[in-house]
C-alpha cells in the first residue's frame, strides 16, 4: 500500500522511477525495520519547515511565507539543497552541509583530532577535504621518537581506513579530498599512489599547483621541493618531468586532479583570515580550515518553456535559494564548536545550477557550439548578480557576515550577508532526483548504467531522450543535440568550465572526459590550457581508465 501511494504521489510530483528509488533508499525516513515513515511530499514539508525556522533570527523574518515558498520550489523540483539537508533537516542529527575542510598540522594530535572529526562528518553525510602539505616528508626526522616520519601518503591511508569503517550508515559513502602542494618532497609518491586501484578508494587526490611551478614548466626549469618542517629545499626536480609524471597517472587512473592555488587565493573573499589550501571532495568548494558550506542547485531545465528561459522565476529562485541557504547556516548543527564558529564567521553559501545540458537540448543548441557558452554565460551572470543583491538585502536586515570588515566585499563597499554565494556542484544524486542532467555537464549517454549507494545498479535512460525517442525525428535530434560527454572536445569542456567560473565566486565541478585513445600529451595540454584560462581546478577522465577491483583495509567492498 505504501509503495502504491508513493508511486501515485511520485506521478503527481513528476518524480520518475529512479527518483523514487533514490528517495526510498537514501532520503525518506525509515524505522528500524526499514519501513518508510514519510512520503516524498512529507520530506519536502519537513525540510521547508525546518529551514524556515531560520527566519526567527530575522527581525523581519517571514516564517510562514518562506515555509510555503521553500516547499514549493523543492516539490516542483526547481531547487534542491545538497543531500545532507534533505536527509537531516528537522531530524535529530541536524547536520546540513555537504562540504568541509579540516586542518592537518604536522603533529599526531592534530592528525588524529582530524580523523575523529572526519568520522563524525561522514556519519552525517558530509564530505571532507584536507591539505596534507604541512606534514613533514617520509623519512624525515621525528624528535619525540628519534625515529623517522611516515609522510603524508601513509597518513592519508589512516583517514581512508577510518572512512571505510564509518561508511555513513549505508546512506552515503564517505568522500574525501586529499591535497598535496606541488613543492612537497613526497609529491611523486602522492601522484602515483592511486595507480594501484586498491589504494585510497575513499579519496580523490589533487595536486595543488602554484603559478611558480607553471612558470618553471614553461621555462623548462628546475623546481625546488621544500621540506615544510625546515622550510629548506630537500632537492630539485625538472618541472617538465614532474608534470609529465602527473599526466601519466591521470591518463592511467583519472587521478590526481589539479587545483590552482594562486587562482583560488586571488578569489579568496577573506584574505586576512589566511590562505585557502584545500577544497571539498569534488573540488567545487574551496574553504579555509574548519569551514563548512551548504550547496543548493536550481534545476534550470524546469525553467525552459516554449524555447525561452523564465528569467522572472530564475530571479525568484535565486533570491529564495540564497535565503534558504543562509537560513541553513543558522538552523544547522555542527560536528564541533570550531566548525560552527568558522562557518558562521564567513557564512559562505554555494548556489548553482543543474540541468544545463537539458536546457541546451530543449533550446535546440548543441553543447559544443558557441551558443551554448553564450547561454551559460548569460544564465550564470544573471544568477551571480541576483545572488549578490539577495545577500545584500539579507545583510541589511540580518547584518553582514561577522568577518565582513577587511573582506573583499568591505573593500568594494558592497554589504554582503555571505562571503560567497555561488558554486557549481556536481549534483550527482540530486540530478537523478530532479530527473535532469547533472550540474553543467553534457549528458553522459542516452542510456547508461549507474551504481547507486554501494551496489544497486540502475539503468538510467536520459529523461529528455525518453520524452522524444518515439518521435519520427528522434534519431536526427539525437545526432544533432544529444552530445555525449566523450564526444565533446576537451577544449569545449574547458571553455564551458571557464564560462561558468567567470560568474561563480567559489568553483565549478567539471570533468573533461576523454576518449580511451587520448594520450598523455593530450592531458598535458589540458593542464596548461586550464591554468592559462585561470581556472581554479581541473579533472580529466579517460574512458575505461579505471576498473572496479576495489580492495582496501582488508575489507571487501
Ligand atoms: O547530489 P548530491 O547533493 O548528493 O551531491 P553532489 O552535488 O554530487 O556533491 C556535492 C558535495 O557533496 C561533494 O563535493 C562532497 O563534498 C559531498 N559528497 C559527499 O560527501 N559524499 C558523496 N558520496 C557525494 C558527495
Amino acid at each position: 500500500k505504501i509503495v502504491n501511494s508513493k508511486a501515485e504521489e511520485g506521478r503527481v510530483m513528476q518524480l520518475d522511477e529512479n527518483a523514487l528509488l533514490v528517495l526510498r533508499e537514501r532520503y525518506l525516513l525509515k524505522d528500524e525495520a526499514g519501513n518508510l515513515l514519510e512520503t516524498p511530499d512529507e520530506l519536502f514539508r519537513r525540510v521547508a519547515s525546518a529551514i524556515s525556522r531560520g527566519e526567527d533570527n530575522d527581525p523581519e523574518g517571514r516564517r510562514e511565507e518562506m515555509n510555503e515558498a521553500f516547499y514549493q520550489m523543492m516539490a516542483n523540483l526547481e531547487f534542491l539543497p545538497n543531500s545532507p539537508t534533505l536527509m537531516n533537516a528537522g531530524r535529530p542529527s541536524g547536520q546540513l552541509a555537504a562540504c568541509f575542510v579540516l586542518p592537518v598540522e604536522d603533529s599526531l594530535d592534530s592528525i588524529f583530532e582530524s580523523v575523529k572529526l572526519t568520522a563524525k562528518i561522514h556519519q552525517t553525510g558530509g564530505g571532507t577535504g584536507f591539505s596534507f602539505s604541512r606534514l613533514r616528508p617520509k623519512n624525515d626526522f621525528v624528535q619525540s621518537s628519534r625515529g623517522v616520519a611516515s609522510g603524508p601518503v601513509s597518513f592519508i591511508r589512516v583517514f581512508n581506513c577510518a572512512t571505510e569503517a564509518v561508511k555513513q550508515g549505508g546512506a552515503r559513502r564517505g568522500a574525501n579530498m586529499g591535497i598535496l602542494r606541488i613543492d612537497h618532497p613526497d609529491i611523486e609518491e602522492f601522484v602515483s599512489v592511486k595507480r594501484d586501484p586498491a589504494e585510497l578508494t575513499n579519496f580523490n587526490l589533487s595536486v595543488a599547483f602554484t603559478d611558480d611551478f607553471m612558470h618553471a614548466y614553461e621555462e623548462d626549469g628546475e623546481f625546488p621541493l621544500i621540506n615544510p618542517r625546515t622550510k629548506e629545499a630537500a632537492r630539485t626536480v625538472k618541472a617538465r618531468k614532474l608534470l609529465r609524471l602527473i599526466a601519466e597517472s591521470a591518463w592511467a587512473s583519472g587521478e590526481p586532479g589539479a587545483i590552482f592555488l594562486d587562482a583560488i587565493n586571488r578569489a579568496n573573499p577573506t584574505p586576512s583570515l589566511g590562505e585557502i589550501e584545500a577544497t571539498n571532495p569534488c573540488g567545487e568548494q574551496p574553504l579555509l580550515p574548519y569551514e563548512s558550506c551548504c550547496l543548493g542547485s536550481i534545476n534550470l531545465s524546469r525553467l525552459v518553456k516554449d524555447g525561452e528561459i523564465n528569467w522572472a522565476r530564475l530571479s525568484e529562485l535565486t533570491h529564495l535559494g540564497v535565503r534558504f541557504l543562509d537560513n541553513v547556516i543558522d538552523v544547522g548543527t555542527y560536528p564541533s564548536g570550531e566548525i560552527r564558529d568558522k562557518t558562521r564567521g564567513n557564512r559562505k553559501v554555494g548556489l548553482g545550477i543543474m540541468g544545463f545540458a537539458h536546457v541546451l537540448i530543449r533550446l535546440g543548441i548543441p553543447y559544443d557550439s558557441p551558443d551554448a557558452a553564450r547561454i551559460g554565460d548569460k544564465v550564470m551572470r544573471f544568477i551571480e548578480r541576483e545572488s549578490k543583491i539577495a545577500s545584500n538585502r539579507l545583510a541589511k536586515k540580518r547584518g553582514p557576515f561577522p568577518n565582513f570588515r577587511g573582506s573583499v566585499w568591505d573593500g568594494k563597499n558592497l554589504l554582503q550577508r555571505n562571503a560567497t554565494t555561488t558554486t557549481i556542484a556536481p549534483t550527482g544524486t540530486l540530478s537523478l532526483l530532479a530527473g535532469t542532467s547533472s550540474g553543467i555537464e553534457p549528458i553522459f549517454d542516452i542510456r547508461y548504467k549507474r551504481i547507486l549507494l554501494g551496489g544497486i545498479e540502475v539503468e538510467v535512460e536520459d529523461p529528455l531522450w525518453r520524452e522524444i525517442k518515439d518521435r519520427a525525428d528522434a534519431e536526427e535530434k539525437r545526432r544533432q543535440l544529444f552530445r555525449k560527454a566523450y564526444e565533446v572536445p576537451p577544449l569545449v569542456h574547458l571553455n564551458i568550465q571557464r564560462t561558468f567560473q567567470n560568474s561563480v565566486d567559489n568553483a565549478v565541478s567539471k570533468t573533461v572526459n576523454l576518449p580511451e585513445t587520448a594520450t598523455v600529451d593530450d592531458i598535458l595540454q589540458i593542464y596548461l590550457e586550464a591554468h592559462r584560462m585561470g581556472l581554479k581546478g581541473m579533472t580529466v577522465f579517460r574512458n575505461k581508465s579505471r576498473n572496479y577491483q576495489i580492495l582496501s583495509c582488508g575489507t571487501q567492498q
Side-chain angles (χ1 to χ4, degrees):
K1 165 137 196 302
I2 290 176
V3 172
N4 281 343
S5 68
K6 295 277 170 311
E8 186 59 35
E9 187 178 297
R11 267 196 298 283
V12 173
M13 300 181 73
Q14 313 203 27
L15 296 163
D16 66 22
E17 213 176 295
N18 285 325
L20 288 171
L21 179 69
V22 168
L23 279 165
R24 233 176 2 245
E25 294 299 322
R26 185 150 153 186
Y27 295 99
L28 299 176
L29 275 182
K30 289 181 193 149
D31 66 14
E32 280 181 28
N35 300 311
L36 295 176
L37 296 177
E38 66 182 354
T39 65
D41 190 63
E42 284 163 351
L43 176 151
F44 294 128
R45 289 273 176 215
R46 164 170 61 79
V47 176
S49 158
I51 305 308
S52 61
R53 290 209 175 125
E55 297 289 317
D56 295 354
N57 305 326
D58 180 340
E60 294 169 36
R62 290 176 287 164
R63 180 154 152 195
E64 278 316 305
E65 187 189 333
M66 287 303 130
N67 187 359
E68 194 52 30
F70 292 164
Y71 164 76
Q72 285 296 342
M73 69 178 179
M74 289 188 286
N76 292 341
L77 303 175
E78 292 173 310
F79 166 93
L80 291 172
N82 57 206
S83 290
T85 304
L86 291 176
M87 298 189 287
N88 302 334
R91 299 183 60 192
S93 139
Q95 195 297 104
L96 308 177
C99 311
F100 293 79
V101 162
L102 296 174
V104 182
E105 298 293 339
D106 189 29
S107 76
L108 284 187
D109 271 347
S110 167
I111 292 169
F112 283 89
E113 203 46 54
S114 270
V115 170
K116 176 176 154 191
L117 275 177
T118 300
K120 288 172 78 169
I121 291 167
H122 289 175
Q123 210 174 25
T124 62
T128 36
F130 319 86
S131 165
F132 292 95
S133 304
R134 290 165 186 259
L135 298 188
R136 71 191 67 188
K138 195 172 184 165
N139 298 327
D140 196 32
F141 180 61
V142 179
Q143 174 74 35
S144 56
S145 62
R146 305 256 135 209
V148 294
S150 342
V153 170
S154 78
F155 284 112
I156 301 175
R157 291 197 184 99
V158 174
F159 284 82
N160 189 60
C161 288
T163 304
E164 190 68 34
V166 176
K167 282 277 182 180
Q168 307 195 352
R172 191 158 157 105
R173 261 183 62 158
N176 297 293
M177 170 67 91
I179 286 172
L180 198 69
R181 282 176 65 100
I182 184 76
D183 56 11
H184 193 283
D186 288 4
I187 190 70
E188 288 105 333
E189 183 190 7
F190 176 83
V191 304
S192 311
V193 62
K194 286 205 73 176
R195 289 204 206 179
D196 176 350
E199 279 277 12
L200 304 182
T201 51
N202 301 305
F203 263 85
N204 297 328
L205 299 184
S206 274
V207 174
F209 287 98
T210 57
D211 287 350
D212 279 350
F213 175 82
M214 299 310 284
H215 190 66
Y217 181 91
E218 266 154 38
E219 310 267 282
D220 193 12
E222 292 279 332
F223 184 71
L225 303 182
I226 315 282
N227 180 333
R229 184 178 62 87
T230 62
K231 316 275 184 263
E232 283 165 9
R235 63 197 161 93
T236 62
V237 289
K238 274 198 120 8
R240 292 212 171 161
K241 198 171 158 210
L242 181 52
L243 191 61
R244 177 163 289 274
L245 180 74
I246 295 169
E248 284 167 358
S249 287
W251 183 91
S253 67
E255 295 217 54
I259 66 167
F260 296 107
L261 272 188
D262 295 300
I264 286 176
N265 280 294
R266 275 191 286 275
N268 180 356
T270 57
S272 60
L273 304 182
E275 277 191 20
I276 296 177
E277 298 174 30
T279 70
N280 70 328
C282 304
E284 71 277 13
Q285 190 62 48
L287 292 169
L288 292 164
Y290 292 119
E291 259 190 312
S292 69
C293 184
C294 183
L295 311 179
S297 301
I298 293 172
N299 178 1
L300 200 63
S301 177
R302 281 267 158 177
L303 302 185
V304 180
K305 225 182 179 162
D306 306 326
E308 291 281 346
I309 292 171
N310 183 345
W311 297 98
R313 183 61 180 154
L314 184 56
S315 166
E316 278 169 17
L317 289 172
T318 304
H319 285 258
L320 284 170
V322 169
R323 189 165 183 144
F324 180 106
L325 294 171
D326 187 64
N327 285 0
V328 163
I329 296 169
D330 294 327
V331 171
T333 64
Y334 295 86
S336 81
E338 250 157 333
I339 295 175
R340 180 195 58 220
D341 295 345
K342 288 282 188 301
T343 303
R344 290 190 176 158
N346 287 341
R347 307 191 65 87
K348 285 182 183 169
V349 301
L351 180 68
I353 64 161
M354 59 180 148
F356 180 58
H358 274 188
V359 167
L360 295 177
I361 294 172
R362 285 188 198 281
L363 296 178
I365 298 169
Y367 192 92
D368 52 356
S369 70
D371 278 349
R374 223 172 3 249
I375 297 279
D377 183 59
K378 195 170 165 197
V379 163
M380 206 57 224
R381 251 176 227 282
F382 182 87
I383 294 174
E384 169 64 14
R385 200 184 52 231
E386 292 298 322
S387 73
K388 291 293 178 287
I389 296 171
S391 187
N392 174 258
R393 286 186 190 153
L394 288 176
K396 285 180 183 156
K397 289 186 297 176
R398 305 179 177 187
F401 60 97
N403 298 324
F404 178 79
R405 290 278 156 251
S407 73
V408 297
W409 302 115
D410 188 18
K412 289 183 186 163
N413 232 335
L414 177 63
L415 204 63
Q416 288 286 288
R417 171 74 170 160
N418 314 92
T420 66
T421 55
T422 46
T423 302
I424 302 288
T427 68
T429 320
L430 293 185
S431 59
L432 216 55
L433 190 55
T436 192
S437 58
S438 47
I440 57 163
E441 299 291 359
I443 64 164
F444 192 71
D445 204 338
I446 53 169
R447 235 175 275 108
Y448 62 96
K449 287 211 165 77
R450 211 186 131 130
I451 297 173
L452 283 180
L453 337 157
I456 307 173
E457 196 179 85
V458 292
E459 167 104 9
V460 182
E461 186 169 46
D462 187 86
L464 261 193
W465 172 245
R466 203 166 46 220
E467 271 179 32
I468 69 153
K469 70 178 176 186
D470 296 325
R471 286 186 0 201
D473 61 348
E475 197 45 38
E476 193 191 327
K477 280 258 178 296
R478 188 187 64 74
R479 254 182 292 113
Q480 277 173 358
L481 297 175
F482 287 75
R483 206 67 94 235
K484 301 178 203 171
Y486 290 102
E487 295 169 353
V488 172
L491 278 182
V492 172
H493 280 289
L494 285 181
N495 191 44
I496 292 285
Q497 181 175 342
R498 167 174 54 185
T499 299
F500 278 90
Q501 184 63 74
N502 284 343
S503 301
V504 159
D505 48 19
N506 292 300
V508 171
S509 172
K510 182 84 194 72
T511 301
V512 177
N513 292 95
L514 298 169
E516 199 180 344
T517 52
T519 64
V520 171
D521 279 304
D522 293 338
I523 293 178
L524 270 177
Q525 288 314 311
I526 294 170
Y527 285 112
L528 300 180
E529 193 55 38
H531 179 253
R532 229 174 273 137
M533 286 181 169
L535 301 182
K536 292 180 179 169
M538 201 260 323
T539 308
V540 295
F541 191 75
R542 188 176 61 90
N543 201 11
K544 306 205 173 132
S545 59
R546 208 178 294 168
N547 62 32
Y548 282 97
Q549 193 291 109
I550 306 169
L551 276 177
S552 77
C553 305
T555 320
Q556 180 108 39
Q557 293 192 9

